[in-house]
Amino acid sequence: MPGPLRTGSTDGATDPDEVGDPDDLGPVDSDVGNPQGMPGPLRTGAAEAVSVVTGPAPGSARTDEMADPGSGAGDADVGNPQGMPGPLNGAGAPGSPSSGGSKSALNKVTRADIINRAKKWVSAKVPYSMAKYWSDGYRQDCSGYVSMAWKLKRNEWTGSLAEYGTRIARSELQPGDMLLFHNPADPSKGSHVTIFGGWTDYTHTHYTAYEQTPAHTRKQTTPMAYWTNSGKYVPYRYKGLTTGTDKVGSGTATVFPGTTKFGAGVSNMYITQLGRMLVDRGGRHFYKVGPGPGWGDADRRATRAFQRAQGWKGKEADGIPGPHTWRLLVNGTGRDIPASASGSAGGGSHAAPAFPGRSYFRPGRSNSHVDRLGRQLVKKGYGKYYTQGPGPRWTEADRRNVEAFQRAQGWRGAEADGYPGPETWRRLFA
């Protein structure tokens, strides 16, 4: 039951990112088999800590055979029915159970606030539970997760979250909006909600979903709108959303200040803000000291690593931020700098090896590229179909392992045929 707030400390003919303007990319899980818990009031939480996103662990299940990768071992509380939302207790005056939809009563947040709050649970891998509460006071199920990300004043459930949002079209989705499926006939079966993190490519067939699901919070490429019951998910935008200035570190700029603010010999607050945003996105190891206001090689290398993480090349990944790089950093969207990104002076050793071409990966072919692919699949946890090897000759085991990796990215059909293309290759070696 709800409780009071307590103190707590593609590959196929087309690859997913082969787009005309890769700098426009957004960031790069299933009706949850376990039902949600009962909404309840928040418990007083401790100050939130800055965290770095870690992706879902690959290879933990047969991802090439799962129709719904969100289903799995459930929580002990899964049989509990969902209740009604309760007022906030233990952290000020209780709120009215029926007035939560009033926009004037809502906490104001920016899109960056929502995504950054969502990332903290991803980083912490908060275990799924319908009865337990995380240290910030929010219930550890999918609706509690959205309540936390939207900074609601109490824990809500799928039957009440819509009161806090304005219904929008799917084409209007932006990072921080939610996709909600509430099953009124049987709320404990199928009801689920995710946070939209951005489109993964120009086709708008897949997006980055932040969600609370067994076994823990995750960020994963997901087909629009979900793995099952896709047509029943409704998009909403938080009524308390503000377009005011986002405060990132000590900087306050959300509008791109221009390329002249970055480069050799330049010193200003925008460089400090850029560095702090890059550190939050996985670029800490580039900085021996700082970040600071003076432009340095660490700023250039960290910026380039972030740009390359988006799949950009050439002038699009020259280490100087442009308006799209800035937008992704300010909004907390796009792909984070991978842990393998090098902080050495060369700054280029973290790049994936160049994709050799599809013709090397076909029946009867034998070459070093097949061997390299197989070893990387094993390293990433996608080698279960190898009974021996891997080796230089292309086999059905290679194809099935590649297919498993592709399906784990959320791809289906021709995009998950088991034959690597440029995007499969890039993600595999990221």
Side-chain angles (χ1 to χ4, degrees):
M1 294 296 295
L5 192 115
R6 299 185 299 177
T7 302
S9 14
T10 35
D11 290 311
T14 303
D15 292 293
D17 74 340
E18 292 179 350
V19 297
D21 184 0
D23 216 78
D24 283 334
L25 284 174
V28 189
D29 274 67
S30 85
D31 282 348
V32 178
N34 297 27
Q36 299 178 82
M38 295 176 289
L42 306 182
R43 300 180 296 172
T44 303
E48 297 170 338
V50 176
S51 59
V52 179
V53 173
T54 57
S60 57
R62 297 192 58 172
T63 52
D64 59 322
E65 296 178 1
M66 291 193 300
D68 178 357
S71 62
D75 191 273
D77 320 311
V78 297
N80 293 357
Q82 299 188 76
M84 296 298 292
L88 174 65
N89 295 310
S96 168
S98 60
S99 63
S102 172
K103 186 172 180 179
S104 62
L106 300 180
N107 289 320
K108 302 295 183 182
V109 295
T110 64
R111 294 191 182 281
D113 291 333
I114 294 171
I115 296 300
N116 286 335
R117 289 171 68 84
K119 284 182 175 181
K120 289 173 182 176
W121 276 32
V122 174
S123 177
K125 295 185 178 180
V126 175
Y128 178 88
S129 174
M130 296 179 298
K132 297 176 183 178
Y133 295 77
W134 196 237
S135 58
D136 54 16
Y138 290 91
R139 195 180 57 247
Q140 295 168 212
D141 62 8
C142 66
S143 50
Y145 181 51
V146 174
S147 299
M148 179 277 298
W150 278 12
K151 207 175 181 179
L152 300 184
K153 296 180 179 180
R154 60 186 181 181
N155 283 290
E156 298 297 334
W157 71 308
T158 57
S160 61
L161 277 171
E163 299 174 21
Y164 296 83
T166 300
R167 185 167 180 171
I168 59 174
R170 290 186 179 182
S171 61
E172 298 176 306
L173 280 164
Q174 295 185 49
D177 297 336
M178 74 171 175
L179 284 157
L180 173 68
F181 169 42
H182 176 64
N183 181 12
D186 191 352
S188 66
K189 299 294 183 183
S191 297
H192 191 48
V193 61
T194 72
I195 297 171
F196 180 84
W199 300 109
T200 59
D201 58 51
Y202 73 100
T203 66
H204 289 192
T205 58
H206 290 77
Y207 69 104
T208 297
Y210 292 87
E211 62 177 329
Q212 181 67 358
T213 183
H216 53 70
T217 323
R218 68 182 173 187
K219 169 190 174 186
Q220 179 166 306
T221 297
T222 303
M224 176 56 58
Y226 209 66
W227 308 93
T228 56
N229 292 306
S230 178
K232 298 180 181 179
Y233 278 76
V234 180
Y236 289 91
R237 179 159 298 154
Y238 178 46
K239 290 180 180 178
L241 189 69
T242 176
T243 56
T245 300
D246 295 336
K247 294 183 178 180
V248 183
S250 62
T252 59
T254 55
V255 178
F256 180 59
T259 55
T260 59
K261 299 295 183 182
F262 308 95
V266 179
S267 180
N268 55 63
M269 71 173 190
Y270 303 112
I271 295 173
T272 304
Q273 179 178 342
L274 172 72
R276 289 177 175 170
M277 292 190 293
L278 289 166
V279 166
D280 287 343
R281 302 302 297 275
R284 162 57 65 188
H285 57 283
F286 288 96
Y287 294 90
K288 293 182 179 179
V289 294
W295 180 263
D297 192 52
D299 298 298
R300 180 186 61 81
R301 289 186 285 112
T303 301
R304 184 167 61 183
F306 178 76
Q307 291 167 332
R308 287 179 172 176
Q310 313 315 309
W312 309 340
K313 296 181 175 67
K315 292 182 179 180
E316 294 169 343
D318 60 2
I320 300 296
H324 300 304
T325 299
W326 189 263
R327 174 175 56 81
L328 293 180
L329 287 169
V330 166
N331 290 337
T333 55
R335 302 183 183 102
D336 291 338
I337 299 171
S340 59
S342 173
S344 64
S349 62
H350 65 280
F355 178 60
R358 291 184 173 88
S359 62
Y360 287 94
F361 308 99
R362 290 293 183 267
R365 297 305 302 268
S366 181
N367 53 73
S368 61
H369 303 300
V370 175
D371 184 58
R372 169 182 272 183
L373 173 76
R375 293 180 186 277
Q376 189 67 9
L377 285 165
V378 171
K379 182 179 178 180
K380 289 284 190 176
Y382 292 90
K384 66 182 179 181
Y385 292 110
Y386 291 121
T387 57
Q388 59 182 8
R393 181 170 294 279
W394 178 264
T395 67
E396 177 63 11
D398 294 300
R399 191 198 67 78
R400 294 186 71 187
N401 285 326
V402 171
E403 181 184 16
F405 177 78
Q406 291 169 331
R407 293 179 70 86
Q409 311 310 300
W411 306 338
R412 296 294 183 269
E415 294 177 343
D417 60 1
Y419 295 99
E423 176 64 1
T424 297
W425 188 267
R426 186 189 67 78
R427 293 194 184 192
L428 188 60
F429 285 91

